[in-house]
Amino acid sequence: MSQSVLDHLPRVIGHRGACGHAPENTLASIRKAAELGTTFIEIDVTLTADNIAVIQHDSDVDRCTNGSGPILLKTLAEIKKLDAGSWFTPEFAGERIPTLKEATIAIRELSLGLNLEIKPTNGWQIPTAEQVGRELLDYWPADVPLLLSSFNIEALTAIGSLLPEVPRGYLSVAIPPDWEKRLKEAGCASLHCEKEYVTKEKVAAVRSAGYRFLVYTVNDVDSAQQFLDWGVDAVITDFPDRLLKGLRSS
Ligand code: G3P
Ligand code: MG
């Protein structure tokens, strides 16, 4: 595993699986992304009370399950009782929050690549990054493309010590004025920013400094095409089908 993952990154990455079509960060969402023709997905990982890496965006289970309260205070057994699908549509009733291990198995079976975003509960950055790193060392299949990312530099540094060969991306909403210093400090190979803040000039500056540029969350074809024309490497989208169908072939 190495920077070559970035050399083969597809232009379209499914956000939280394909979260425009299925409940985010579930196995159903991962499968939906593959079914729509996506070859690379982004999902978020955080920790349970018993130190198991699970796939979930928020630090609590309120928005995306029928339960409530912080994930970090619940055991995996408690989390597995929750319905993580009904909030989206009744068709997904009974969907569960997957562990990172379960997601890994699905991703491999579906021949996907993964952008794994480390999403620690605030205050739990280093334990989260270290546990995710240990789990990846334990079971991540060497032949499955992996790009790590986080908004948190401490988390990026901690996981970089455990998995120095896996490329890392620095996530930010706006492009920080000291983006280059931050990327260097965290040993990152890519910058991932929110679409509203991305300009043609910034893309050119980041790319000419030798870093990759990813943009989230881009759901309309015209915007995606414009970012790619500016030199962005990939766009992260809730609706990969729209972009796969509508983008000009490069
Ligand atoms: O990794 C891109 C994007 O997922 C970052 O923001 O809040 O959707 O995890 P968020
Ligand atoms: Mg994310």
Side-chain angles (χ1 to χ4, degrees), residues 2-220:
S2 70
Q3 303 298 74
S4 73
V5 171
L6 289 167
D7 293 336
H8 298 101
L9 203 61
R11 298 184 301 167
V12 176
I13 297 177
H15 190 218
R16 308 180 193 173
C19 74
H21 295 280
E24 63 182 60
N25 286 318
T26 61
L27 295 182
S29 189
I30 294 171
R31 285 190 213 105
K32 178 58 80 174
E35 186 189 313
L36 297 171
T38 323
T39 57
F40 215 99
I41 57 163
E42 185 262 9
I43 56 176
D44 306 286
V45 65
T46 197
L47 284 195
T48 64
D50 43 352
N51 214 28
I52 312 284
V54 292
I55 307 306
Q56 181 75 1
H57 178 276
D58 299 355
S59 57
D60 62 53
V61 295
D62 297 39
R63 184 175 60 89
C64 292
T65 75
N66 60 343
S68 65
I71 293 210
L72 192 55
L73 302 182
K74 294 182 188 301
T75 62
L76 181 63
E78 289 167 330
I79 281 168
K80 281 293 187 185
K81 289 185 187 137
L82 303 174
D83 179 340
S86 293
W87 70 273
F88 190 79
T89 55
E91 163 198 357
F92 293 103
E95 199 63 36
R96 304 288 154 191
I97 291 178
T99 61
L100 175 58
K101 192 170 192 177
E102 290 164 343
T104 300
I105 292 165
I107 286 162
R108 183 168 207 206
E109 280 173 2
L110 296 163
S111 303
L112 295 169
L114 178 65
N115 172 195
L116 184 64
E117 181 188 343
I118 303 161
K119 198 69 123 176
T121 299
N122 205 359
W124 218 252
Q125 289 88 341
I126 291 179
T128 305
E130 289 183 343
Q131 177 60 17
V132 169
R134 280 191 293 269
E135 291 199 27
L136 292 172
L137 281 169
D138 184 27
Y139 55 70
W140 185 260
D143 57 341
V144 178
L146 178 63
L147 168 64
L148 298 166
S149 63
S150 184
F151 284 98
N152 186 267
I153 287 195
E154 278 182 298
L156 288 165
T157 306
I159 203 158
S161 308
L162 287 169
L163 295 155
E165 297 303 316
V166 178
R168 298 185 294 287
Y170 178 62
L171 266 164
S172 185
V173 176
I175 301 163
D178 58 346
W179 57 267
E180 195 159 9
K181 180 168 169 276
R182 291 184 193 218
L183 288 169
K184 272 196 191 127
E185 274 174 11
C188 286
S190 55
L191 180 63
H192 308 192
C193 291
E194 207 280 331
K195 63 178 185 302
E196 300 297 335
Y197 298 87
V198 176
T199 63
K200 189 177 178 180
E201 291 70 31
K202 290 288 182 193
V203 174
V206 171
R207 293 295 283 112
S208 66
Y211 298 99
R212 307 302 174 122
F213 205 125
L214 280 70
V215 182
Y216 68 91
T217 306
V218 187
N219 289 337
D220 79 278

